[in-house]
């Protein structure tokens, strides 16, 4: 007699597969493993420079060094729903490798001679000992202090302990920490982002950073998964208002789809549309009074914080986009606002697709559609309908 076959869901009396393993599957697939091993561990993932402004608002040039690391400890055990940083990591990177990568970046830019600011990103937290050897943390802090460069690093909240900050500020007295808070809402953090920390832990980190005079840069995520466009717009305006007083800089990242993530699956399945650029313009207009209560511009005395929106992959289908016709003009306006803080940057921007966007927002605000009604594809409406 044949052995009875049990239902797949119940398994063959083997240990059940955890949902975590199913969701994390992309990081463990042969293509992902092969790709990870293909990186040269002695060279950073990428090094480039961009225009920036220093802490006091002076325009400057900044080198960004994205290091090839072991990645983020939160990703090892769970991970945020949109984070594709695992694509850039190698789990066998050593202290020596990291030093070689740093050396490579310094050599390429002549000890950052022509640049006032250096951003060091690690696909995780630079000051987390499980991810980055302490010796290397020290090298980055000490080198930037010695070279007189304004340093920006990224971190989760839990690393911002008094002990760690006391240690770091002894070595370097001119750095900012960027924290990916993503949402100032515990429900969104838990169910949409899977962030693994709460708003309280961010508050704690802020208190500690203020105590040690470390500048605070906060990232917010515009339109995390399982959220409608209208909700994303309304929430983000409130979040900006709530954190403005406690952040020297707020950087809103409109969702862009990274390979192998949960949001990637939703997007491929036509269940998620990256944000409209019009929503970002509207968010900036509504949030502007929280940043400049007197209606001023960047650099004016009424400035509470600095609001930056940089649509990564803006205008592309996997990034924030409009109809395809107007995208480049709207992206340029949004980027100009980040520098000037002047709402007049949006004067004269208009397109036929604005009416479609406005209708979607108003429908989402009135209909019970928590996941939204945004079309997940753009292009000719009739052609899209025919291909269904
Ligand atoms: S904390 Fe940051 S690096 Fe870690 S999984 Fe989340 S987004 Fe990625
Ligand atoms: Zn348009």
């Amino acid at each position: 007699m044949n052995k009875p076959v049990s239902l797949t869901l119940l398994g063959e009396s083997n240990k059940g597969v955890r949902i975590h393993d199913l969701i994390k599957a992309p990081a463990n697939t042969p293509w992902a493993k092969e790709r990870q091993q293909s990186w040269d561990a002695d060279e950073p993932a990428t090094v480039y420079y961009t225009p920036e402004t220093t802490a006091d608002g002076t325009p400057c040039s900044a080198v960004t060094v994205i290091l090839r690391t072991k990645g983020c400890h939160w990703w090892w055990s769970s991970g945020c729903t949109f984070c594709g940083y695992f694509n850039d990591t190698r789990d066998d990177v050593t202290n020596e490798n990291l030093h070689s990568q740093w050396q490579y970046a310094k050599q390429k830019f002549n000890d950052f001679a022509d640049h006032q600011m250096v951003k060091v990103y690690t696909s995780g937290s630079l000051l987390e000992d499980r991810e980055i050897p302490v010796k290397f943390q020290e090298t980055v802090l000490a080198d930037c202090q010695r070279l007189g460069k304004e340093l920006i690093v990224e971190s989760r909240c839990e690393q911002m302990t008094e002990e760690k900050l006391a240690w770091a500020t002894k070595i370097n007295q001119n750095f900012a920490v960027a924290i990916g808070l993503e949402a100032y809402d515990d429900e969104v953090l838990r169910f949409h982002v899977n962030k693994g920390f709460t708003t309280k832990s961010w508050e704690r980190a802020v208190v500690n950073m203020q105590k040690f005079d470390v500048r605070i840069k906060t990232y917010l995520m515009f339109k995390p998964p399982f959220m409608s466009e209208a909700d994303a717009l309304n929430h983000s305006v409130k979040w900006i208002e709530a954190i403005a007083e406690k952040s020297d800089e707020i950087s809103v990242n409109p969702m862009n789809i990274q390979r192998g993530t949960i949001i990637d699956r939703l997007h491929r399945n036509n269940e998620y549309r990256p944000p409209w650029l019009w929503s970002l313009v509207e968010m900036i207009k509504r949030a502007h009074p929280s940043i400049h209560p007197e209606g001023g511009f960047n650099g004016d005395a009424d400035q509470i914080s600095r609001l930056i929106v940089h649509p990564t992959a803006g205008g592309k289908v996997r990034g924030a986009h409009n109809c395809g016709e107007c995208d480049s003009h709207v992206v340029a306006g949004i980027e100009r606002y980040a520098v000037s803080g002047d709402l007049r940057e949006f004067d004269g921007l208009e397109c036929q697709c604005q009416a479609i966007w406005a209708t979607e927002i108003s429908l989402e605000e009135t209909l019970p559609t928590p996941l939204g009604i945004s079309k997940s594809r753009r292009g000719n409406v009739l052609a899209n309908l025919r291909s269904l």
Side-chain angles (χ1 to χ4, degrees):
M1 209 175 106
N2 285 347
K3 204 173 140 223
V5 179
S6 58
L7 292 171
T8 324
L9 201 63
L10 301 176
E12 303 271 355
S13 315
N14 299 331
K15 208 170 159 213
V17 181
R18 294 183 310 160
I19 189 87
H20 163 78
D21 295 316
L22 291 173
I23 289 176
K24 293 293 286 297
N28 302 320
T29 49
W31 67 258
K33 288 275 163 217
E34 205 177 296
R35 201 173 133 98
Q36 284 179 12
Q37 289 309 311
S38 72
W39 306 123
D40 182 343
D42 286 327
E43 279 186 22
T46 170
V47 192
Y48 57 89
Y49 69 94
T50 48
E52 251 296 348
T53 47
T54 55
D56 62 12
T58 321
C60 74
S61 167
V63 175
T64 301
V65 185
I66 302 184
L67 296 165
R68 186 84 60 204
T69 64
K70 290 182 187 174
C72 165
H73 74 280
W74 173 240
W75 177 265
W76 302 339
S77 63
S78 189
C80 301
T81 48
F82 51 79
C83 180
Y85 284 167
F86 72 88
N87 286 314
D88 284 333
T89 59
R90 251 188 95 122
D91 42 21
D92 53 359
V93 171
T94 63
N95 181 35
E96 288 68 37
N97 293 141
L98 286 168
H99 276 89
S100 308
Q101 293 181 28
W102 181 238
Q103 201 54 34
Y104 176 103
K106 282 196 298 182
Q107 252 164 21
K108 182 166 178 185
F109 285 101
N110 189 22
D111 272 354
F112 313 125
D114 300 328
H115 309 272
Q116 293 73 44
M117 186 185 278
V118 181
K119 304 179 186 181
V120 181
Y121 297 155
T122 61
S123 302
S125 308
L126 179 84
L127 300 176
E128 165 57 58
D129 301 356
R130 284 169 288 179
E131 296 168 21
I132 306 290
V134 179
K135 209 69 220 126
F136 183 69
Q137 299 174 23
E138 199 177 327
T139 300
V140 172
L141 290 167
D143 278 0
C144 289
Q145 174 78 17
R146 180 173 53 80
L147 297 168
K149 305 294 164 194
E150 201 171 305
L151 171 67
I152 301 191
V153 303
E154 287 179 331
S155 181
R156 283 173 60 87
C157 298
E158 57 267 36
Q159 287 72 32
M160 296 295 103
T161 59
E162 288 198 39
E163 198 188 356
K164 192 70 182 179
L165 288 167
W167 172 81
T169 47
K170 258 196 208 111
I171 308 168
N172 187 311
Q173 290 87 48
N174 185 17
F175 73 100
V177 179
I179 297 183
L181 169 64
E182 325 299 358
Y184 191 73
D185 179 322
D186 285 325
E187 211 170 292
V188 175
L189 283 181
R190 186 160 175 212
F191 296 111
H192 297 250
V193 178
N194 191 36
K195 192 73 211 183
F197 62 63
T198 59
T199 51
K200 266 214 186 79
S201 34
W202 178 78
E203 299 278 3
R204 265 197 303 274
V206 166
V207 169
N208 290 346
M209 287 157 79
Q210 284 169 339
K211 196 161 169 181
F212 287 92
D213 228 357
V214 170
R215 287 190 303 283
I216 303 159
K217 185 169 168 170
T218 309
Y219 295 138
L220 292 176
M221 172 59 68
F222 191 95
K223 201 175 177 185
F226 317 115
M227 188 181 280
S228 71
E229 189 86 16
D231 279 349
L233 174 59
N234 295 330
H235 285 321
S236 60
V237 174
K238 275 194 239 140
W239 297 339
I240 292 171
E241 189 186 344
I243 64 168
E245 295 273 359
K246 295 172 183 166
S247 309
D248 296 292
E249 200 173 296
I250 300 169
S251 177
V252 180
N253 297 324
M255 177 67 75
N256 73 93
I257 314 286
Q258 294 176 26
R259 194 177 175 201
T261 57
I262 291 176
I263 195 81
D264 187 16
R265 287 188 182 192
L266 293 170
H267 184 243
R268 280 164 195 265
N269 224 20
N270 273 338
E271 290 167 331
Y272 177 89
R273 184 207 192 277
W276 282 85
L277 293 163
W278 292 126
S279 301
L280 303 176
V281 173
E282 181 64 20
M283 174 196 75
I284 293 173
K285 287 182 179 169
R286 290 199 212 163
H288 186 79
S290 308
I291 305 295
H292 289 285
E294 311 288 332
F297 314 128
N298 283 354
D300 285 356
D302 72 333
Q303 186 167 350
I304 305 272
S305 181
R306 185 172 159 222
L307 178 62
I308 297 175
V309 184
H310 177 66
T312 309
K316 305 232 169 69
V317 171
R318 294 170 75 84
H321 63 264
N322 283 347
C323 66
E325 295 286 318
C326 60
D327 298 47
S328 58
H329 299 295
V330 185
V331 168
I334 292 170
E335 290 186 339
R336 284 196 308 268
Y337 172 86
V339 179
S340 66
D342 187 343
L343 288 179
R344 286 174 301 185
E345 304 289 4
F346 304 120
D347 285 357
L349 282 183
E350 53 188 41
C351 180
Q352 289 175 348
C353 69
Q354 214 169 350
I356 301 175
W357 162 79
T359 310
E360 282 191 12
I361 295 284
S362 84
L363 284 175
E364 286 181 354
E365 279 173 340
T366 42
L367 295 171
T369 50
L371 300 186
I373 57 160
S374 289
K375 281 186 294 146
S376 52
R377 284 175 297 171
R378 69 179 176 192
N380 184 293
V381 180
L382 262 182
N384 279 344
L385 275 172
R386 283 201 192 106
S387 70
L388 280 176

